[in-house]
Amino acid sequence: MDLEIFQIVNILGFAIGAIFGMIAQKRQFCFSGSIKDYMLTKSTMRGASVVMAMIVAIVSTALISSHYELDFSDTPYYKENINYFVIILGGLMFGVGMMLADGCSNRHLIKFAQGDKNSLISIVFIGIFAFATARGFLSGYLNPITNNPTLIEWSAFIEEKTMNIYVVVGILLVILFALTKKIKRVFSLWDGVLVGLLVAAAWTVTGVLGEESIERLISFEGISFVYPTGKTIELFMLYQVNELTFSISLILGVLIGAFTMSKFNRRYSFGCTAAKGENRVRNNMIGGALMGTGGVLSIGCTVGQGLTGLSTLAFGSAVAISSIFVGGLVSAIYLNKRNELPMCFIFEWNDKDSKGSNLDYQI
């Protein structure tokens, strides 16, 4: 049976998502979790994995971009009339939401797939509010801010351009070694390496193979989770007027991949006793809403901007992920002071100098 190119793109999107889901479930790869790890236990292992993913995503994307002459100026990360003030606002909202809901958008896909039913609440609210912000009732209320001529004019003083790869990678390497403290620990960050390579793989599928599609226009996009979650929900509700796309296939792949891995890696499948007594439903709803709206305003989430956007070296992506980090850090400090920052598992380096091991355990 001969497949059309758009069908192959969707299959590969599902495969990339499935691999991402398996890796993220196996190692509990998580940006917001890395902040909580340091706040509660001073552990830097998951934070180092995230930074490693950033480095590999940037380098591998630069290589495939050079080889295939990919033009990222057509992506949302280099859109005209960029509004940095809205990106910062969206990033801060997303950062607050991910700490309140105990996980960012991709993290809740993993948690739901491995058995956390409360994460489904966050997923639904992320999707609904992302769609409402991009194309629904919230877009009209936010338009005076998102398309504000004054804010756009002020933002124009800082041109949206490609950052120097050597400077960016150099800064990330300094951060990486500050987190690992030992060279040998870098070699244990295989999850970050693979996730970074998946970012480049997504660009290759949509930018190279997708470019050859005649039957259907394929969007040039990478791995992202906020707006695609909304599109996935829309597809299930209005299947006859919507199409299966790369990003939707990726979302479905993450769920299937994480679910499959959870059957072999069961240590994370039981309930989180650390979160008992907290109003999880309320937090999941509010956090999901903040992430849905914030993720659209900031043009991506911790993965969509922190990995995919940053891999294009767009200055706006650095602004977005920095805003997300600040919002998450301030929220984590506030929640920790109120003893409302739950962590179900502790992750430690697996070496003799660590107090524990990477065999995580429940608090």
Side-chain angles (χ1 to χ4, degrees):
M1 180 179 65
D2 293 331
L3 296 174
E4 303 290 354
I5 290 179
F6 74 88
Q7 294 174 317
I8 298 175
V9 168
N10 289 342
I11 292 172
L12 291 176
F14 181 88
I16 290 173
I19 296 171
F20 183 101
M22 288 188 284
I23 296 169
Q25 199 285 328
K26 174 66 176 177
R27 296 274 288 196
Q28 300 294 288
F29 182 88
C30 181
F31 185 95
S32 61
S34 66
I35 296 176
K36 291 197 300 178
D37 288 349
Y38 188 78
M39 287 290 300
L40 295 176
T41 66
K42 303 303 179 184
S43 173
T44 59
M45 189 178 75
R46 287 202 290 178
S49 289
V50 171
V51 175
M52 174 62 82
M54 291 177 176
I55 294 171
V56 174
I58 291 171
V59 174
S60 57
T61 297
L63 292 174
I64 62 106
S65 174
S66 176
H67 182 75
Y68 293 107
E69 298 183 346
L70 299 180
D71 183 10
F72 293 111
S73 63
D74 294 330
T75 65
Y77 307 113
Y78 285 91
K79 74 173 188 176
E80 295 182 358
N81 297 325
I82 193 165
N83 190 332
Y84 289 117
F85 296 93
V86 170
I87 289 179
I88 293 171
L89 173 63
L92 293 173
M93 290 176 63
F94 190 94
V96 172
M98 73 180 185
M99 301 311 297
L100 189 62
D102 194 24
C104 56
S105 46
N106 77 90
R107 176 63 178 154
H108 279 292
L109 291 172
I110 304 301
K111 290 172 68 176
F112 173 63
Q114 68 187 19
D116 188 345
K117 61 183 181 296
N118 285 291
S119 284
L120 180 59
I121 299 173
S122 288
I123 293 171
V124 170
F125 271 75
I126 288 170
I128 291 174
F129 276 81
F131 207 79
T133 303
R135 297 172 55 185
F137 75 97
L138 286 178
S139 61
Y141 292 104
L142 293 170
N143 186 65
I145 301 175
T146 56
N147 294 310
N148 186 287
T150 302
L151 296 181
I152 293 175
E153 183 180 351
W154 288 350
S155 298
F157 285 105
I158 305 177
E159 183 182 356
E160 176 60 294
K161 60 181 180 180
T162 302
M163 297 181 292
N164 185 291
I165 186 172
Y166 300 106
V167 173
V168 176
V169 172
I171 293 173
L172 290 174
L173 284 173
V174 171
I175 296 174
L176 178 65
F177 288 118
L179 293 174
T180 57
K181 295 182 174 63
K182 291 185 175 184
I183 296 294
K184 66 178 183 179
R185 288 179 172 176
V186 174
F187 298 101
S188 68
L189 304 176
W190 59 268
D191 54 332
V193 173
L194 293 179
V195 168
L197 291 175
L198 288 177
V199 171
W203 285 126
T204 306
V205 170
T206 60
V208 180
L209 183 59
E211 186 70 19
E212 300 176 5
S213 177
I214 299 175
E215 307 83 5
R216 185 184 298 176
L217 178 65
I218 305 296
S219 299
F220 184 31
E221 58 186 327
I223 301 176
S224 192
F225 292 101
V226 175
Y227 188 62
T229 298
K231 293 294 293 181
T232 303
I233 294 174
E234 182 193 31
L235 178 68
F236 276 96
M237 294 188 299
L238 303 169
Y239 181 79
Q240 293 181 334
V241 296
N242 287 280
E243 298 175 339
L244 184 66
T245 62
F246 173 84
S247 59
I248 295 175
S249 300
L250 187 137
I251 294 288
L252 298 176
V254 169
L255 289 170
I256 297 300
F259 175 77
T260 302
M261 179 58 72
S262 70
K263 298 305 173 184
F264 300 94
N265 185 38
R266 294 180 176 273
R267 69 180 66 173
Y268 308 111
S269 297
F270 54 87
C272 179
T273 59
K276 289 184 178 180
E278 302 295 336
N279 194 332
R280 295 193 64 192
V281 173
R282 179 199 64 191
N283 291 347
N284 284 122
M285 291 170 63
I286 297 175
L290 288 171
M291 285 189 283
T293 297
V296 171
L297 295 180
S298 62
I299 322 178
C301 56
T302 50
V303 173
Q305 280 284 30
L307 295 180
T308 299
L310 198 61
S311 73
T312 70
L313 296 171
F315 177 73
S317 296
V319 172
I321 193 60
S322 298
S323 301
I324 292 173
F325 175 76
V326 170
L329 181 62
V330 172
S331 300
I333 294 172
Y334 173 76
L335 291 171
N336 192 37
K337 286 184 177 180
R338 293 170 58 90
N339 198 29
E340 295 178 1
L341 188 64
M343 177 178 285
C344 301
F345 304 95
I346 294 177
F347 301 86
E348 273 297 348
W349 297 100
N350 189 22
D351 55 49
K352 62 182 181 180
D353 295 324
S354 294
K355 295 180 181 179
S357 70
N358 66 354
L359 294 176
D360 27 85
Y361 51 93
Q362 196 173 34
I363 296 177

